[in-house]
Amino acid sequence: MKTDIATFRDEVYSVVEAIPMGKVVTYGDIALLVGRPHHARLVGRIMGEAPAIRRLPCHRVVNSRGRTVPNWHEQRGMLEAEGVSFKTDGCVDMRACRWNFMAEG
């Protein structure tokens, strides 16, 4: 099935808007939530193009290992300000801070 990019983008933005403060999700989590589990890279691309005017909490999206966006040095500080914890390797502590969206139903 072909992906309608405009619809996919809107769905991705809706998920990002719903991420609770102090929690993170992965690009793959978002792809799964919008029904396209194999489209994590497309989620990443859409996140990179998100218009600032939407004021999306894009800082709450990390990769599957908990790594923040390269060259976005403010992201870690924004997450820490919300109480997100990091491991010694610089990655988000995913066990403690990953949004358990399935439990919240």
Side-chain angles (χ1 to χ4, degrees), residues 64-78:
S64 62
R65 296 191 60 209
R67 289 198 174 135
T68 55
V69 177
N71 301 315
W72 185 14
H73 306 293
E74 299 85 6
Q75 184 180 15
R76 180 175 175 144
M78 294 168 78

Side-chain angles (χ1 to χ4, degrees), residues 74-88:
E74 299 85 6
Q75 184 180 15
R76 180 175 175 144
M78 294 168 78
L79 289 171
E80 287 176 328
E82 293 184 1
V84 172
S85 56
F86 285 77
K87 301 184 299 181
T88 56

Side-chain angles (χ1 to χ4, degrees), residues 30-46:
I30 295 171
L32 179 67
L33 281 166
V34 300
R36 298 293 187 153
H38 302 291
H39 286 69
R41 288 180 188 258
L42 181 55
V43 170
R45 191 180 94 212
I46 287 171

Side-chain angles (χ1 to χ4, degrees), residues 7-28:
T7 301
F8 187 79
R9 181 182 301 112
D10 290 342
E11 292 170 348
V12 166
Y13 289 169
S14 291
V15 170
V16 173
E17 288 171 336
I19 304 168
M21 183 181 288
K23 296 295 179 182
V24 298
V25 296
T26 69
Y27 302 102

